[in-house]
Amino acid sequence: AGPAAPLKDLVPAPFGATAMTGQLDDPAWREAVLRHCSQLTPEWEQKMERTLGPGFAHDFSASDRVVAFARDHGLRVHGHTVIWYSQGSEVFTDDLPRDRFAAEYDRYIHALVGRYRGRMAGWDVVNEPVTEDGNGLRDCHWSRALGPEGYMVRAFQQAKAADPDAVLFLNEYNLENIPAKGATFLRLVERLLTLGAPIDGIGTQSHLNIEIPAGRVRDFFRDSASLGLPIHVSELDFPMQRDGGHLPDLRSTAERRAQQVARVGELAEAFAALPERQRYAFTTWGLRDPDSWLVRAEGRNRTDESALLLDAEARPNPAYQALVDAFTGR
Ligand code: G3I
């Protein structure tokens, strides 16, 4: 098969992928990203693991490089992520006096979000606030210091003050895979809005579990669309192995492939069915198979798993055709 037709022309919204500073000078990566993408999400350069040092020191130099690359090539940038339960606790410690904690919280948000004021399409202001099983809110250093809902309301209010133009998202995973988590998340969005959080959009990461029955993806998009907010498919990938491949996989590859393609098609159809003003962007977490975090984090996606739309040579993977069929209405 020849090179894939540009995804940014196929998808009825800005099409995004992740970018890392280590990829910016790779000719093959640049060629594929500039052919297919109209938006980029820094994969880790805007997270506290990279931006926040001891004594509340800020270092946005890696983030600046990704943002500059996007600007130089006319690509939108989606910021990811300001406040996340899994980062920052080495500096934002539980023993800090509350007023110092709160002052540094606000200062960090203004330093990061304010730095790119007017230049970001949007931000994942809070990432993954709901518990793994979907039955509540995560307990973390943010919630202990500022309240389980308070830290989120505050983060959105500070981010809005820092950049009034950016679309501000609450971002979460397994919303399609686990209906209870999807329902809790949507109720949380509504609750935070009543508490005065200026949430502008819903980010569904869509790291799809291809084992889920048909209909769950469609149902979540139907339910989330009813809030009337822009929706970002923010981190799409679709690994074929179950649970990191630790379970004996009893189905044939052909059967798993059929499940994978069906789920991706269902998601694309659900996204395309949204009103245009609710289609913020459609982002995959990596553009080509080798770009996937699954390769680095779990040594996966090296086989014919094809957890992304393009293979190592940027040719269409099986799921690519499901997008074509869904977005062209075949
Ligand atoms: O590349 C650097 C290297 O230069 C450095 O020496 C080394 C030691 O710190 O770190 C390397 O960076 C790693 C980076 O991935 C690039 O590989 C970071 O350590 C590592 O923490 C980082 O992991 C990222 C992870 O989030 C945690 O931030 C993954 O790339 C990224 O794919 C993953 O993405 C998350 C989303 O943010 C939220 N949703 C789930 C998704 C997958 O876990």
Side-chain angles (χ1 to χ4, degrees), residues 12-300:
F15 176 76
T18 46
M20 293 188 284
T21 49
Q23 294 168 318
L24 302 181
D25 300 323
D26 172 347
W29 179 86
R30 287 165 68 106
E31 180 185 352
V33 159
L34 298 182
R35 173 177 174 81
H36 288 282
C37 298
S38 49
Q39 179 171 296
L40 293 177
T41 299
E43 187 154 359
W44 71 294
E45 288 82 357
Q46 295 179 330
K47 297 169 180 174
M48 286 182 179
E49 65 183 290
R50 183 59 189 78
T51 61
L52 183 69
F56 297 100
H58 299 164
D59 173 3
F60 302 120
S61 56
S63 167
D64 287 350
R65 283 197 57 211
V66 178
V67 173
F69 173 85
R71 185 192 59 233
D72 293 349
H73 296 283
L75 302 177
R76 287 169 26 134
V77 185
H78 179 79
H80 174 80
T81 178
V82 185
I83 298 297
W84 189 13
Y85 78 92
S86 73
Q87 306 228 343
S89 59
E90 312 80 19
V91 177
F92 283 90
T93 53
D94 285 336
D95 61 350
L96 274 173
R98 295 307 75 167
D99 56 350
R100 176 78 196 283
F101 191 110
E104 289 295 345
Y105 188 78
D106 296 351
R107 189 171 75 89
Y108 177 81
I109 295 171
H110 279 269
L112 174 59
V113 177
R115 185 178 187 84
Y116 307 108
R117 184 187 180 101
R119 292 188 281 151
M120 302 294 281
W123 277 100
D124 293 333
V125 174
V126 172
N127 193 41
E128 302 174 4
V130 177
T131 51
E132 197 63 37
D133 61 6
N135 291 331
L137 301 182
R138 289 186 191 274
D139 172 66
C140 62
H141 47 304
W142 311 123
S143 62
R144 289 191 293 274
L146 301 172
E149 296 167 328
Y151 85 90
M152 293 188 254
V153 175
R154 192 179 190 117
F156 278 93
Q157 290 174 336
Q158 296 300 325
K160 183 56 71 179
D163 187 350
D165 301 332
V167 182
L168 303 184
F169 287 85
L170 190 67
N171 195 53
E172 185 59 90
Y173 67 90
N174 276 350
L175 298 182
E176 304 92 348
N177 298 335
I178 306 174
K181 189 169 184 182
T184 298
F185 177 82
L186 295 178
R187 281 200 309 275
L188 174 62
V189 172
E190 292 179 315
R191 167 81 175 141
L192 293 175
L193 286 167
T194 62
L195 292 173
I199 299 175
D200 301 316
I202 288 171
T204 178
Q205 294 181 14
S206 303
H207 294 288
L208 290 184
N209 173 351
I210 62 165
E211 310 273 321
I212 59 174
R216 282 194 186 174
V217 171
R218 180 201 59 222
D219 292 351
F220 174 73
F221 274 77
R222 180 199 58 221
D223 296 346
S224 56
S226 66
L227 271 65
L229 295 174
I231 292 171
H232 184 198
V233 171
S234 57
E235 307 184 13
L236 176 62
D237 54 23
F238 24 92
M240 279 175 61
Q241 296 176 37
R242 275 185 76 179
D243 306 314
H246 303 308
L247 294 179
D249 216 339
L250 307 181
R251 287 171 312 292
S252 69
T253 297
E255 189 180 342
R256 284 182 303 166
R257 179 73 71 208
Q259 283 180 306
Q260 178 191 65
V261 170
R263 294 295 69 75
V264 173
E266 184 180 335
L267 183 132
E269 283 165 11
F271 184 78
L274 294 170
E276 193 275 334
R277 63 181 170 73
Q278 286 187 264
R279 300 196 300 263
Y280 167 80
F282 192 96
T283 298
T284 57
W285 207 243
L287 180 60
R288 307 160 304 166
D289 284 336
D291 303 327
S292 173
W293 67 289
L294 292 163
V295 174
R296 299 191 306 273
E298 303 184 13
R300 295 167 51 189

